[in-house]
Amino acid sequence: MRFTFGEDQLLFQTTVRDFLAKECTPEHLRELWDAGRSHSPALWSKLAELGIAGLRVPESHDGMGLDEVDAVLLFEELGRAGLPEPVIATAAVAAPLLTECGDAARAERWLGPIARGEAIVAVGHAESPFVVDADVADLLLLTDADALHAVEPAGVDLVAEPANDPSRRLFTVRWQPSEATRLADGERGRALQAAAFDRGALASAAEALGATDRLIDLSVEYASQRVQFGVPIGSFQAVKHQLANLKVALEYARPVVHRAAHSVAQGHPERAVHVSLAKLAACEAATRAAGTSLQVHGAIGYTWEQDLHIWMRRAWSLERAWGRSALHRARAADWLLGPDARIGPGTTFAGERDG
Amino acid sequence: MDLAYTPEQQAFRAEARAWLEAHVPKEPLASFDTAAGFAAHCEWEAKLNAGGWAMVPWPTEYGGRGADLLEWLVFEEEYYRAGAPGRVNQNGIFLLGPTIMEYGTPEQKARYLPPMASSEEVWAQGWSEPNAGSDMAAIQTTAIRDGDHYVINGQKTWASRGAFAHWLFGLFRTDPDSDRHRGLSFVLVPLDTPGVTVRPIEKLNGKQAFAEVFFDDARVPAANLLGEEGRGWNVAMATAGFERGLMLRSPARFQSTARKLVELYRANAADCEPALRDRVLDAWRGAEAYTLETYRTVSRLLEGGKIGAEASLNKIFWSELDLAMHETALEILGDRGELLAGAPSATDVGDWLDGYLFALSGPIYAGTNEIQRNVIAERILGLPRR
């Protein structure tokens, strides 16, 4: 029993944080927005060099061979930076899905290119009518009932669906499932879809933690320098207490997300519930942080020019990514009130493999 | 990261479970805020201590098992799982005990810890005064050195467990010319000292849970000073850290309440409005989050980390969670939620109302949640002081 991260894991997090602070600035994001894009091939190459694209790709295919516990701290950094690149779909979801799909030829075809930053994968799922970043994808993984299909761009027709967060580029995808595109179906198809959904939701939860942390930092910074009535507004309890509430929400969401990462990595029998608890807690913290941060900033926060809304929009869009809160709430409540729930003192780590 | 218990931890759990199953009283004891209940709880503590379970993290020489904090969490889980009695000496074992462990001399450890573990000596807290509540540095009660004694004059109030306790620990002004945090000392006072008068105060629930304590030239030996003279504030902050943090309110307590709440909801779901389902889920989620955060904190402590201002995050979280759980339970009970335990129609209402009245004090004691939010804002977030 040791609920902490190792030095290597923390060091990698710091490396990614420093890298993104330099490369993914608000100016960079605004340039992309102005160009109607969310993806920068140059930045993607650098992310691949750093190992981000191939985090979950086996080392035999040029990847890092890491698991969700290693990755969860890095996903948090994506949220802190507001990085709009398709990391979740490609690195967190598609890579392990292709590794596990049982189709060796397709795994061989795509895993290496993903790790080397040469291929981007978009992933659709049954809980959303839209596919994120479908226009920049070299491969789309799409669902049709219990089947999972791998479709190349020539086989799809895309309709852009502009959304509130310019970093979240949504598409309706029109396509025809066929024998040739089918990756898996039946029991295996359902299991792969469930695993993909849990991994996407987990990564989104981690991103939401990072976005929350950034919103708190921005608000603390602003409240410390903005002077009214002759003092920084951050010296007023009305402001202090609201920001303290965000810190409480963040620090009690974080271990829930880290635990879910461990459960997904270990194949814990209740991993889907743990993921839903993580997504709920992190997105509650993030959307609360968005509202409070705007209030702390006042009118300046309500402008397009101020960078605050980059993370407000991330908070809102992450709440909708990989299952909205209502869905995760229902999954968790159904388990809690269902026949399989073992709860109470001493049950939290039941179901872990024995040490 | 490794979230499985070791075979040793599992064996420890099994041993604790077996002992508790054999010894926990079948019927709940009367409240320890009544004279009879206090005596019954002290008797239970003596039995617990005889079994070696009173304070498992303490060294064996003081009645403990030398367990680490993870084993302590496991013990707490088993304790609440077994429905064992509340800890009457919680101010002693969870707050003063760890403080003595950190600041006490070898003589003080040997003198105070064993009778604390057995609850032969039950402790009350002496922080607040009529003019020093949230502003604890405004303490006025003096303890002036006179030869090998301190002579204490003044008044403490809201001394939890004060009505029945044997000893009181608290902060006193040893330098009469000092102000604020300086010149305070942490002194241990036998409540049967001549010149000490204890006047119980009835709580919101009608029970005598705390007391006012008056000091009129009460003389206590200078050896009862804990830590350095004039450095009492630092000693008290360590105690407050234990109170706000993981010692006083281990997660098992809230997991136990959450489990009962889920059972209550299951039994009454047909009569409940749909929104209550969400509130029940939120209660259980909160208890699990508190558990996870505590395991994270303990893991960090075992790797050599320290807890500082973070204890304020804990205190806000558990106190507001506890209140929310009890509010939800009373909502589920609907019209029966206001019935006292003896009412003819109160057969299945449990002790939720009593628990609710107690939970209301959570955001106040151990430093109000407003003070905790100031601590978080200033010491963790770095916002400017006033």
Side-chain angles (χ1 to χ4, degrees):
Chain A
M1 175 63 71
R2 192 178 67 94
F3 193 12
T4 50
F5 291 90
E7 272 177 38
D8 290 355
Q9 291 165 327
L10 295 169
L11 187 65
F12 197 8
Q13 178 184 27
T14 309
T15 305
V16 171
R17 180 183 297 192
D18 294 346
F19 170 82
L20 289 174
K22 213 164 74 220
E23 299 286 339
C24 183
T25 59
E27 296 71 38
H28 170 78
L29 290 171
R30 286 174 185 274
E31 273 171 37
L32 288 177
W33 288 3
D34 290 345
R37 296 190 293 129
S38 62
H39 169 59
S40 149
L43 182 51
W44 189 257
S45 297
K46 290 184 191 171
L47 285 166
E49 270 172 47
L50 202 58
I52 299 291
L55 277 179
R56 296 283 287 106
V57 173
E59 285 171 288
S60 57
H61 291 77
D62 299 339
M64 302 277 286
L66 300 180
D67 70 10
E68 278 78 10
V69 176
D70 302 308
V72 70
L73 295 174
L74 310 179
F75 296 145
E76 185 172 333
E77 295 311 316
L78 311 183
R80 188 189 315 280
L83 182 81
E85 300 289 336
V87 177
I88 292 186
T90 303
V93 181
L97 198 152
L98 287 162
T99 307
E100 293 162 6
C101 71
D103 183 333
R106 275 201 176 89
E108 201 60 39
R109 161 75 186 83
W110 290 105
L111 287 174
I114 287 175
R116 294 190 294 272
E118 297 156 8
I120 285 171
V121 187
V123 182
H125 62 86
E127 305 299 344
S128 170
F130 309 119
V131 178
V132 180
D133 295 322
D135 63 331
V136 295
D138 301 289
L139 180 71
L140 295 93
L141 298 176
L142 302 169
T143 63
D144 175 45
D146 64 11
L148 193 67
H149 293 262
V151 189
E152 303 208 12
V156 301
D157 201 7
L158 302 180
V159 180
E161 307 274 5
N164 185 33
D165 179 359
S167 291
R168 180 165 155 88
R169 302 185 61 253
L170 301 176
F171 295 85
T172 295
V173 179
R174 300 200 177 111
W175 63 292
Q176 282 302 322
S178 72
E179 196 71 27
T181 60
R182 191 165 60 233
L183 205 53
D185 60 3
E187 195 60 41
R188 185 179 203 103
R190 279 195 294 276
L192 287 171
Q193 285 190 32
F197 186 73
D198 286 344
R199 286 177 176 133
L202 170 69
S204 304
E207 256 201 78
L209 294 179
T212 306
D213 216 357
R214 185 67 174 260
L215 284 163
I216 295 173
D217 283 351
L218 289 169
S219 300
V220 167
E221 192 186 326
Y222 181 75
S224 299
Q225 48 98 352
R226 169 67 176 166
V227 172
Q228 286 287 273
F229 305 102
V231 293
I233 60 169
S235 65
F236 295 123
Q237 289 194 345
V239 173
K240 277 184 178 159
H241 289 191
Q242 293 196 62
L243 293 175
N245 287 340
L246 299 185
K247 186 66 177 168
V248 173
L250 173 62
E251 291 309 321
Y252 281 90
R254 204 170 247 149
V256 180
V257 176
H258 294 169
R259 196 281 162 79
H262 186 267
S263 295
V264 170
Q266 298 289 315
H268 190 289
E270 314 293 0
R271 60 191 176 279
V273 177
H274 296 167
V275 165
S276 284
L277 296 174
K279 181 73 166 41
L280 268 177
C283 287
E284 278 170 1
T287 50
R288 183 173 187 176
T292 298
S293 298
L294 174 59
Q295 190 66 23
V296 167
H297 279 75
I300 192 73
Y302 199 71
T303 62
W304 189 267
E305 183 193 347
Q306 234 284 344
D307 291 331
L308 180 69
H309 71 113
I310 293 172
W311 290 277
M312 287 167 52
R313 288 174 198 276
R314 280 325 273 169
W316 297 330
S317 63
L318 285 165
E319 192 272 329
R320 290 177 170 270
W322 296 95
R324 297 174 53 197
S325 290
L327 179 143
H328 289 289
R329 189 167 267 287
R331 282 210 318 182
D334 288 347
W335 178 83
L336 177 65
L337 300 169
D340 300 330
R342 279 187 59 214
I343 61 170
T347 60
T348 300
F349 299 105
E352 298 292 342
R353 288 176 194 162
D354 289 347
Chain B
M1 188 178 294
D2 173 6
L3 301 185
Y5 295 103
T6 62
E8 293 75 23
Q9 288 161 344
Q10 290 173 3
F12 179 81
R13 182 188 294 282
E15 191 188 350
R17 182 173 296 188
W19 191 90
L20 288 163
E21 275 172 4
H23 293 87
V24 167
K26 300 288 172 267
E27 291 298 317
L29 307 181
S31 162
F32 56 49
D33 291 330
T34 63
F38 181 83
H41 277 81
C42 288
E43 207 176 298
W44 159 250
E45 289 289 337
K47 193 187 280 185
L48 198 58
N49 188 52
W53 297 103
M55 202 49 195
V56 295
W58 288 3
T60 43
E61 58 199 291
Y62 304 129
R65 289 179 179 245
D68 69 16
L69 284 173
L70 277 172
E71 287 168 322
W72 178 72
L73 286 178
V74 167
F75 173 75
E76 285 281 294
E77 288 169 355
E78 291 307 313
Y79 195 84
Y80 279 95
R81 182 182 177 278
R87 306 301 299 272
V88 66
N89 204 7
Q90 51 188 267
N91 296 313
I93 55 176
F94 295 146
L95 306 182
L96 179 60
T99 312
I100 289 181
M101 214 66 88
E102 197 170 329
Y103 287 95
T105 61
E107 294 73 27
Q108 286 175 323
K109 290 177 190 173
R111 162 64 190 85
Y112 293 110
L113 296 176
M116 186 187 292
S118 65
S119 286
E120 284 159 78
E121 292 178 356
V122 174
W123 289 81
Q125 303 195 64
W127 304 127
S128 295
E129 297 180 4
N131 294 315
S134 284
D135 184 11
M136 200 165 86
I139 280 172
Q140 293 167 318
T141 302
T142 52
I144 305 300
R145 187 73 182 251
D146 176 25
D148 52 5
H149 281 74
Y150 287 107
V151 181
I152 305 182
N153 279 287
Q155 180 190 350
K156 292 286 176 186
T157 191
W158 318 136
S160 290
R161 219 80 338 103
F164 305 108
H166 312 103
W167 279 74
L168 173 139
F169 62 89
L171 272 189
F172 300 87
R173 200 163 286 288
T174 39
D175 176 359
D177 299 325
S178 64
D179 70 349
R180 306 299 299 161
H181 311 76
R182 288 168 294 275
L184 297 170
S185 299
F186 198 110
V187 182
L188 313 175
V189 184
L191 285 171
D192 59 3
T193 304
V196 174
T197 309
V198 176
R199 197 162 78 194
I201 305 172
E202 263 184 301
K203 267 199 315 187
L204 189 65
N205 64 4
K207 297 194 182 103
Q208 298 187 341
F210 45 28
E212 295 176 285
V213 184
F214 300 88
F215 303 88
D216 184 13
D217 283 337
R219 294 176 71 84
V220 302
N224 291 17
L225 174 74
L226 185 62
E228 275 176 64
E229 186 176 287
R231 301 275 296 161
W233 184 265
N234 299 55
V235 183
M237 284 304 104
T239 313
F242 296 123
E243 184 171 27
R244 293 163 188 173
L246 58 101
M247 269 283 161
L248 184 67
R249 293 292 177 253
S250 83
R253 176 190 180 104
F254 305 107
Q255 291 186 290
S256 176
T257 307
R259 182 178 52 72
K260 289 177 194 159
L261 183 66
V262 169
E263 284 163 10
L264 183 74
Y265 177 79
R266 281 177 189 276
N268 294 275
D271 303 324
C272 288
E273 52 171 311
L276 281 172
R277 184 179 155 96
D278 277 347
R279 286 172 60 180
V280 170
L281 173 65
D282 288 345
W284 173 73
R285 291 203 294 137
E288 286 302 298
Y290 187 62
T291 306
L292 292 169
E293 173 56 14
T294 303
Y295 271 85
R296 178 171 80 145
T297 302
V298 164
S299 297
R300 241 190 275 152
L301 289 173
L302 292 177
E303 289 178 358
K306 290 247 179 275
I307 317 185
E310 298 86 357
S312 291
L313 296 164
N314 284 23
K315 202 265 157 165
I316 290 175
F317 194 84
W318 62 250
S319 60
E320 296 183 357
L321 168 66
D322 199 34
L323 190 53
M325 290 199 285
H326 284 88
E327 283 169 347
T328 304
L330 294 187
E331 285 293 311
I332 292 171
L333 288 170
D335 291 328
R336 289 168 299 147
E338 64 180 316
L339 295 181
L340 294 179
S345 296
T347 47
D348 61 347
V349 301
D351 51 6
W352 289 106
L353 178 59
D354 209 39
Y356 169 67
L357 292 176
F358 180 73
L360 283 171
S361 66
I364 302 171
Y365 69 81
T368 66
N369 286 10
E370 285 71 24
I371 296 294
Q372 310 301 338
R373 288 186 163 90
N374 289 348
V375 170
I376 294 165
E378 291 166 8
R379 291 178 50 200
I380 300 179
L381 297 179
L383 283 162
R385 287 169 189 272
R386 198 155 38 101

